[in-house]
Amino acid sequence: MPPLSSEPGREIDQALLNAAVERRRAERAAEIAARHEERMAAAAEGMRAFHGRMASTHRHVEQQHRTAARIHTVHAERLRRWSRGPIDAKEQPGLVQAVAETLGASGAALTLFEPETLMAASSPASRTAQCLEFALGQGPARASVELCGPVIAAGPQMAIAWPIYGPAVERLGIRAVAAVPVVAAGASLGALTVFDPPRAHGPDLEAFEAAAGTLAVSLLSSWSASEADGPSGRPPLVDQGDLWVVLNQAVGMVSVQCGSSTADALALIKAHAFAEDRSVDEVAAAIVDRTLRLG
Amino acid sequence: MTGEQQLIEVLVEAAEALVDGFDVIDYLHTVSERCVDLLPVEAAGVMLVDERHRLRPAAAFGESARLSELLELQADAGPCLQVFRTGAPVVSAELEADTGHLLGFVEEVGFAEEARIAGFASVHALPLRLRVSVIGALALFSSRPGPLSDSDFRAGRALANVATIGILAQRDTHQPELLAARLQQALASRVMIEQAKGVVAERLGITVDEAFAQLRLRARDHELHLSDLARDVVRSSGLPDA
């Protein structure tokens, strides 16, 4: 569905505004860091460590804001290219694609848990990988949420960490995965998975965390803005994401077919997909089309 | 004017701002200014928690050129951070030599040192509290050591509450915790509605689109929210009458 003509323009403006805000915050943090670095040189013995630590804290904060600014800038640029291109050429680029490009990864995916409802992926391959994690109930996003920290695995490590998911994503041509929690106001919302992160200088977990923070802020701030505009609006991230619509319809149907809870119905659908080596999407579509019954 | 009369003036001023509509930063600046007018302090500032759960200075008023720096510093150390972590007010964090050492943190020593350089002998911090969560802190800087008197402390609390009311009036729905919870709730109800479509479709042998029409009709007839009806349908697997 092509969006209203004013929509991309507004999103571009918003992205540029976000980038400017983040840049300003980065500069502010840099100023504070510089002041502490300056003081460190002149400080008494006991205070040197303090100024050193303050400087490094604010340099870290600075980097976080710089990464966020880059993501918003890339997003604005992608939106601009897209809006100039042929109508209906492709779907409107989402923030997750800007994240993948900024991090130099082959793909990225945002998953929201509690409930496990939303998934926004930057590319078809990322989407397939994220669906695998969803169907198999194992993988980096889930692990990082459970650990409340970053998770990274490359090559054979993937199969060791996740015996089914690992080999399956390797078959998709993905050689490494990383995931960091997406946290807002201390509450865990979900995880950001990064596929094939650049590894020349080791994984840049700080950049991943900054990207996760950017997504969280974007989710919540656009959510509040949309609430102010009226109940119909939703954050672009939510609208562009996958809400597992057909799957949940199938879950409702199977719960009646089997006289089970919806949780059990979902487990049944996943198990069926795994046993038949089909995707959860396919199985769900077949159930809703009534070409497949479970129970 | 007595202190009490002045406080009443401040409350009237704040109430008028709330009624008329206002800029929140401007409002917080006024609150900081009134703190300096009413309390035995030379500088005051308001710190707010941002989306990333860090304290940030929102407004400040006072003579010291280093005031904004002293506030910035409290994202990592000092009485405001302590207030944010514990929810309890910090009265008369005296900045005499070894306070920080007593607290046991080099960061605290650092903050005390900076405050002393700026010419302050004591710092007080009061929570901006919304029910159980702390959304920020009011920092008060004084060149005199020692605690606030009981009546000054009460006046300070009142001013902190005035600041809180202004912030809430402005952002009401903009609180990150609330937003996160609402987002999850909204997503959960989306899931529930799709599942309910499936339940109704299967029971009545109709398509999911027809099932959705049925659900909406029933919600309207019974003046129910669609998401509430969907939850009942899914939880009880209860069948709405066709």
Side-chain angles (χ1 to χ4, degrees):
Chain A
M1 203 194 306
L4 297 173
S5 57
S6 70
E7 283 301 308
R10 208 164 61 181
E11 223 188 313
I12 292 170
D13 289 346
Q14 186 61 51
L16 290 173
L17 191 70
N18 291 343
V21 168
E22 295 290 354
R23 261 197 307 275
R24 222 169 26 239
R25 289 182 173 179
E27 277 150 24
R28 189 103 191 83
E31 277 170 29
I32 299 170
R35 271 206 300 275
H36 282 290
E37 280 155 1
E38 210 173 285
R39 298 259 173 93
M40 193 165 59
E45 188 65 42
M47 293 305 296
R48 217 163 287 162
F50 161 72
H51 287 297
R53 205 155 38 241
M54 294 301 288
S56 87
T57 299
H58 287 280
R59 286 286 172 215
H60 173 77
V61 172
E62 179 197 353
Q63 282 315 315
Q64 300 274 305
H65 289 306
R66 292 224 188 276
T67 303
R70 270 198 293 278
I71 291 169
H72 289 302
T73 308
V74 167
H75 185 45
E77 192 44 47
R78 295 181 72 104
L79 282 167
R80 191 153 34 205
R81 277 203 305 272
W82 173 82
S83 67
R84 284 181 190 152
I87 300 166
D88 285 347
K90 266 194 305 190
E91 269 182 59
Q92 183 172 337
L95 194 58
V96 184
Q97 281 155 293
V99 164
E101 186 181 321
T102 307
L103 298 180
S106 74
L110 167 71
T111 311
L112 297 190
F113 291 98
E114 305 277 342
E116 188 169 355
T117 43
L118 180 84
M119 197 252 305
S122 69
S123 65
S126 313
R127 182 173 194 284
T128 308
Q130 211 54 30
C131 285
L132 275 170
E133 166 155 2
F134 176 67
L136 300 172
Q138 59 176 232
R142 194 172 284 272
S144 81
V145 167
E146 277 163 12
L147 280 169
C148 299
V151 165
I152 186 151
Q157 292 169 338
M158 297 199 293
I160 295 166
W162 308 289
I164 312 174
Y165 169 88
V169 289
E170 269 189 287
R171 280 197 292 277
L172 292 172
I174 292 167
R175 289 173 309 280
V177 290
V180 287
V182 173
V183 179
S188 166
L189 291 180
L192 168 68
T193 310
V194 182
F195 299 101
D196 294 316
R199 288 188 297 142
H201 312 286
D204 189 355
L205 289 176
E206 288 196 358
F208 301 169
E209 276 161 4
T214 307
L215 288 169
V217 168
S218 166
L219 265 174
L220 293 194
S221 60
S222 49
W223 182 252
S224 67
S226 67
E227 275 201 334
D229 289 347
S232 61
R234 279 188 301 274
L237 264 172
V238 171
D239 263 353
Q240 290 159 14
D242 191 325
L243 285 159
W244 307 109
V245 167
V246 175
L247 175 62
N248 278 306
Q249 292 167 354
V251 163
M253 291 175 73
V254 171
S255 78
V256 174
Q257 289 168 10
C258 301
S260 67
S261 70
T262 48
D264 288 347
L266 177 59
L268 268 173
I269 294 171
K270 287 180 177 180
H272 184 87
F274 183 67
E276 302 278 318
D277 199 19
R278 295 168 77 187
S279 78
V280 169
D281 285 342
E282 267 178 82
V283 171
I287 291 166
V288 172
D289 289 344
R290 293 201 160 85
T291 55
L292 174 66
R293 280 183 71 88
L294 302 182
Chain B
M1 251 196 302
T2 68
E4 246 168 60
Q5 279 170 328
Q6 280 180 310
L7 197 55
I8 290 168
E9 289 295 316
V10 171
L11 292 175
V12 169
E13 183 183 32
E16 273 170 5
L18 290 174
V19 173
D20 291 343
F22 63 110
D23 175 81
V24 73
I25 297 304
D26 196 27
Y27 177 89
L28 294 177
H29 190 86
T30 307
V31 172
S32 308
E33 209 176 323
R34 295 293 167 264
C35 287
V36 175
D37 293 346
L38 259 70
L39 304 172
V41 300
E42 284 79 40
V46 178
M47 304 278 290
L48 292 181
V49 178
D50 74 0
E51 314 93 324
R52 291 174 209 239
H53 226 47
R54 258 178 89 78
L55 278 176
R56 273 181 196 282
F61 179 80
E63 294 289 302
S64 173
R66 292 182 186 238
L67 186 55
S68 71
E69 196 175 327
L70 276 178
L71 288 172
E72 295 275 2
L73 209 51
Q74 297 199 57
D76 306 287
C80 285
L81 183 63
Q82 215 171 313
V83 159
F84 176 47
R85 286 192 179 144
T86 64
V90 174
V91 190
S92 87
E94 280 186 44
L95 303 167
E96 290 307 313
D98 284 331
T99 313
H101 288 299
L102 288 177
L103 289 169
F105 300 113
V106 180
E107 270 74 7
E108 300 297 339
V109 182
F111 172 75
E113 175 92 21
E114 296 286 333
R116 252 202 324 275
I117 292 171
F120 297 115
S122 65
V123 182
H124 319 284
L126 303 169
L128 306 188
R129 199 167 16 205
L130 171 65
R131 289 184 283 274
V132 292
S133 61
V134 178
I135 62 169
L138 174 65
L140 304 169
F141 300 87
S142 172
S143 62
R144 280 147 291 181
L148 288 170
S149 72
D150 279 355
S151 66
D152 286 337
F153 178 67
R154 275 203 306 277
R157 289 270 285 248
L159 287 159
N161 289 337
V162 164
T164 307
I165 291 165
I167 295 155
L168 296 182
Q170 192 258 348
R171 67 175 183 184
D172 177 26
T173 59
H174 293 231
Q175 253 216 94
E177 289 89 347
L178 262 174
L179 286 173
R182 281 194 200 158
L183 174 63
Q184 288 178 328
Q185 208 173 37
L187 291 172
S189 81
R190 288 275 292 263
V191 167
M192 215 67 100
I193 289 169
E194 297 305 329
Q195 292 180 343
K197 285 188 205 173
V199 168
V200 172
E202 184 66 17
R203 297 224 177 212
L204 302 184
I206 55 181
T207 69
V208 285
D209 288 342
E210 287 162 353
F212 188 40
Q214 292 277 343
L215 281 165
R216 288 182 61 179
L217 210 63
R218 185 170 170 95
R220 197 161 34 193
D221 285 353
H222 293 258
E223 288 177 9
L224 291 166
H225 283 293
L226 188 58
S227 51
D228 292 337
L229 174 64
R231 193 190 50 227
D232 290 345
V233 166
V234 170
R235 284 213 181 135
S236 65
S237 280
L239 171 70
D241 298 324

